[in-house]
Amino acid sequence: MKLWALNVCVACILAGALDLFLPRQGSFKSIKTVLALYILVSVVSPAAGADWAGLADLSFESTVQPADYSDYVSGYACQSLARQIEERLAAEGIEAEVDIEPGGENALPAATICTDRPDEALELAKELLGETACSWQTAPPNM
């Protein structure tokens, strides 16, 4: 790569020097064209000696698998949902802690409501999310 860059630089310097010493009348345009072609050939010539078969054999397939953030997203969604339910219960005057654990592929999320008014809290939470959105359970408040 360094040799190629050196060749291109030398070609540009030689073409520039020739351009300075050549007369500006007559065939000036054709000489400029020849000098431009000389620079272009010096840039492209290393491609003729490249190992194209070896380059084609290179595999550009990545063995690195993308990260799976589905568990993180499910956990974050459950935390956010639990916080929203707690706020709604607080708006109704029910102090409660809500914990929602994400379910598996075939299992529903498990929702636990810790409060001293379990029946009212459970009824309101089921109204908000639906009867079958989670497997519901209540527990006494954490002290």
Side-chain angles (χ1 to χ4, degrees):
M1 191 71 169
K2 288 180 183 180
L3 183 61
W4 173 77
L6 180 66
N7 285 339
V8 171
C9 289
V10 168
C12 290
I13 291 170
L14 286 175
L18 283 173
D19 184 43
L20 288 175
F21 294 117
L22 292 173
R24 299 276 184 230
Q25 305 96 2
S27 60
F28 183 69
K29 287 185 179 180
S30 60
I31 291 173
K32 283 282 238 187
T33 304
V34 169
L35 291 176
L37 286 173
Y38 171 67
I39 293 172
L40 186 62
V41 166
S42 69
V43 168
V44 176
S45 63
D51 181 20
W52 295 107
L55 186 61
D57 290 341
L58 290 177
S59 173
F60 293 106
E61 292 179 17
S62 175
T63 58
V64 177
Q65 296 297 320
D68 181 21
Y69 292 107
S70 59
D71 291 339
Y72 173 76
V73 171
S74 297
Y76 184 76
C78 287
Q79 287 175 355
S80 176
L81 187 59
R83 202 170 38 249
Q84 290 175 13
I85 292 173
E86 286 176 0
E87 289 172 3
R88 180 63 193 270
L89 290 172
E92 294 293 324
I94 302 171
E95 189 175 321
E97 282 185 33
V98 180
D99 183 39
I100 301 176
E101 293 295 323
E105 283 187 30
N106 296 326
L108 290 173
T112 305
I113 303 174
C114 299
T115 182
D116 55 349
R117 297 167 53 187
D119 295 333
E120 296 171 49
L122 188 60
E123 182 179 323
L124 187 59
K126 284 183 180 180
E127 180 183 314
L128 291 172
L129 293 181
E131 188 79 29
T132 60
C134 297
S135 61
W136 298 98
Q137 60 186 9
T138 58
N142 296 334
M143 305 237 172

